[in-house]
């Protein structure tokens, strides 16, 4: 995780790009600092200012423009917080912010303003969160998210998994993580052994937006995990200039399937301040979705959804036929 680029000049040098080739960039005083793992850098095309991986991490001055309708907490996480890092919005499942750290900083992240310092779990808080889950028999699924739960060190994660597995009303464990994309080696045999030893069924939801994010190492690890019975899903965010066309999304789905991963969600962008330049407007999202449905077997089409505050599930968007 330490092997990453954290300044703009370093990033541009590494990719052989001159500032003049790019829109104006933020260079200092970033609340949400630059964090580009070298692993991902290696999958960017040097000299290409439009590279779909570069655009995901490039801090533009546009982030500082205020946009009406964009907020610091676009999906109502603060209201759903039950303290100790536990978010409970949907029936039967709760989300535990198991770590405030991420291995990469994605500029479009809807949690980029989330007060992780207050929500991130120290061991005592973690114990309280587990106690809250233990006291709520209506929960059948626990989701470890963040930040990124796979940034937790192995022992702490193992201990947490043990504690949760001991709660008889939990049937399923879900892990939401982007770490596999950046550090595929994190999907090692130790973690696989820990997951397959659980009584709960395990689902690993990775986050890939473009097929260039997937390298041979990740492909191999995912296949291994799938072979051992871990259900693998992917979620993506529909992003302007990155994956906002049906062909790119279809290629992503086909590549994921080769790795044993089923497409799950395609998210309409959550409106966090600083993210407006990534938005694909809703009619266009629905038109792209319409084209995607025509290009793939149904089981390889992710669900296009938008999270709306106060609704009991993520809202599906319907395809919009273009005339
Ligand atoms: C997205 C989310 C979930 C999971 O929703 P699914 O539709 O089951 O994938 C659960 N809790 C919270 C707080 C969420 O934001
Ligand atoms: S929470 Fe996910 S999307 Fe947000 S910065 Fe971390 S890895 Fe990226």
């Amino acid at each position: 995780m330490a092997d990453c680029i954290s300044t703009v000049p370093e990033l541009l040098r590494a990719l052989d790009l001159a500032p003049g080739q790019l829109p104006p960039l933020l260079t200092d005083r970033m609340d949400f600092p630059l964090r580009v793992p070298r692993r991902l850098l290696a999958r960017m095309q040097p000299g290409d200012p439009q590279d779909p991986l570069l655009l995901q991490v490039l801090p533009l001055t546009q982030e500082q423009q205020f946009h009406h309708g964009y907020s610091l907490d676009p999906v109502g996480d603060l209201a759903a917080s039950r303290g100790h890092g536990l978010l409970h919005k949907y029936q039967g499942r709760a989300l535990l912010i198991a770590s405030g750290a991420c291995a990469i900083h994605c500029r479009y992240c809807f949690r980029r303003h989330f007060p992780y310092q207050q929500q991130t779990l120290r061991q005592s808080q973690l114990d309280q969160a587990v106690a809250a889950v233990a006291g709520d028999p209506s929960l059948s699924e626990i989701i470890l998210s963040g930040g990124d739960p796979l940034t937790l060190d192995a022992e702490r994660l193992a201990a947490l998994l043990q504690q949760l597995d001991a709660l008889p009303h939990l049937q399923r464990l879900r892990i939401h993580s982007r770490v596999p994309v950046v550090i595929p080696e994190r999907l090692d045999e130790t973690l696989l052994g820990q997951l397959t030893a659980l009584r709960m069924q395990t689902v690993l939801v990775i986050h890939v937006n473009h097929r260039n994010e997937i390298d041979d190492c990740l492909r191999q690890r995912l296949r291994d995990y799938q072979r051992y019975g871990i259900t693998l899903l992917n979620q993506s965010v529909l992003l302007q200039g990155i994956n906002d066309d049906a062909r790119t999304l279809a290629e992503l789905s086909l590549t994921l399937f080769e790795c044993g991963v089923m497409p799950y969600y395609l998210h309409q962008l959550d409106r966090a301040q600083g993210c407006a330049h990534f938005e694909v407007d809703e009619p266009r999202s629905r038109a792209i979705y319409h084209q995607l449905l025509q290009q793939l077997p149904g089981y390889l089409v992710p669900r296009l959804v938008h999270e709306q505050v106060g609704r009991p599930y993520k809202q599906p968007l319907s395809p919009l036929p273009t005339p």
Side-chain angles (χ1 to χ4, degrees):
M1 271 183 70
D3 191 19
C4 68
I5 287 186
S6 54
T7 70
V8 166
E10 210 186 343
L11 177 65
L12 298 193
R13 249 195 326 276
L15 289 172
D16 222 356
L17 287 166
Q21 292 174 270
L22 296 160
L25 301 174
L26 290 173
T27 46
D28 56 0
R29 295 196 308 275
M30 280 187 254
D31 308 335
F32 185 56
L34 183 82
R35 185 176 187 99
V36 185
R38 286 188 193 274
R39 195 59 183 260
L40 206 74
L41 184 83
R43 282 176 244 153
M44 297 177 190
Q45 185 63 43
D48 181 4
Q50 304 290 341
D51 182 276
L53 276 51
L54 173 64
L55 295 181
Q56 295 184 44
V57 295
L58 199 62
L60 307 187
T61 54
Q62 285 179 51
E63 290 182 12
Q64 293 179 328
Q65 287 167 13
F66 177 82
H67 283 268
H68 197 71
Y70 284 71
S71 79
L72 297 180
D73 178 27
V75 297
D77 275 348
L78 294 179
S81 175
R82 300 209 337 210
H84 341 293
L86 196 65
L87 303 182
H88 191 187
K89 278 186 194 168
Y90 302 135
Q91 187 175 315
R93 55 228 196 266
L95 184 150
L96 185 58
I97 294 182
S99 162
C102 290
I104 174 175
H105 284 177
C106 317
R107 307 313 299 180
Y108 48 82
C109 181
F110 72 100
R111 288 216 182 102
R112 55 182 290 168
H113 309 289
F114 198 73
Y116 284 122
Q117 278 68 16
Q118 294 143 42
Q119 295 280 336
T120 306
L121 308 180
R122 280 182 289 278
Q123 191 59 49
S124 61
Q125 293 172 290
L126 199 56
D127 291 339
Q128 282 175 290
V130 172
V133 176
D136 186 345
S138 77
L139 297 175
S140 56
E141 177 165 345
I142 185 76
I143 301 170
L144 301 185
S145 182
D148 202 308
L150 292 185
T151 59
L152 280 181
D153 71 61
E155 291 83 57
R156 243 183 119 179
L157 181 62
L160 178 60
L161 295 177
Q162 293 291 313
Q163 281 178 294
L164 293 168
D165 206 42
L167 306 179
H169 53 280
L170 289 183
Q171 301 303 319
R172 292 174 308 282
L173 166 80
R174 205 193 313 176
I175 297 179
H176 281 191
S177 176
R178 193 151 157 76
V179 162
V181 176
V182 177
I183 315 169
E185 292 83 355
R186 183 67 186 83
L187 298 185
D188 59 7
E189 284 186 22
T190 307
L191 180 62
L192 181 60
Q194 287 166 358
L195 294 178
T196 52
L198 297 177
R199 169 193 57 82
M200 296 181 284
Q201 285 184 289
T202 316
V203 183
L204 174 61
V205 185
I206 61 171
H207 171 181
V208 183
N209 300 307
H210 191 285
R211 82 163 169 189
N212 291 5
E213 291 165 51
I214 299 174
D215 69 3
D216 289 340
C217 179
L218 177 59
R219 187 181 289 257
Q220 194 54 52
R221 302 278 167 140
L222 289 169
R223 282 197 189 137
D224 290 345
Y225 269 48
Q226 191 231 6
R227 200 166 299 138
Y228 281 91
I230 309 295
T231 299
L232 300 175
L233 304 176
N234 181 62
Q235 53 182 342
S236 310
V237 184
L238 188 56
L239 297 166
Q240 176 72 40
I242 293 169
N243 59 7
D244 56 339
D245 65 278
R247 178 193 288 253
T248 302
L249 292 169
E251 285 171 355
L252 173 61
S253 274
L254 292 166
T255 306
L256 287 166
F257 187 61
E258 283 168 17
C259 303
V261 182
M262 298 305 291
Y264 179 41
Y265 278 150
L266 176 62
H267 294 273
Q268 175 71 13
L269 186 81
D270 293 315
R271 290 184 154 179
Q273 277 298 343
C275 302
H277 57 289
F278 286 109
E279 191 181 61
V280 180
D281 67 43
E282 215 178 279
R284 206 163 78 78
S285 299
R286 294 170 58 201
I288 294 167
Y289 187 42
H290 172 72
Q291 290 165 356
L292 189 60
L293 282 160
Q294 294 170 71
Q295 292 185 21
L296 288 172
Y299 62 91
L300 292 186
V301 183
R303 271 156 269 186
L304 177 65
V305 292
H306 194 197
E307 185 159 348
Q308 276 158 16
V309 178
R311 300 287 185 88
Y313 49 88
K314 301 194 201 297
Q315 303 294 298
L317 296 181
S318 52
L320 185 69
T322 34

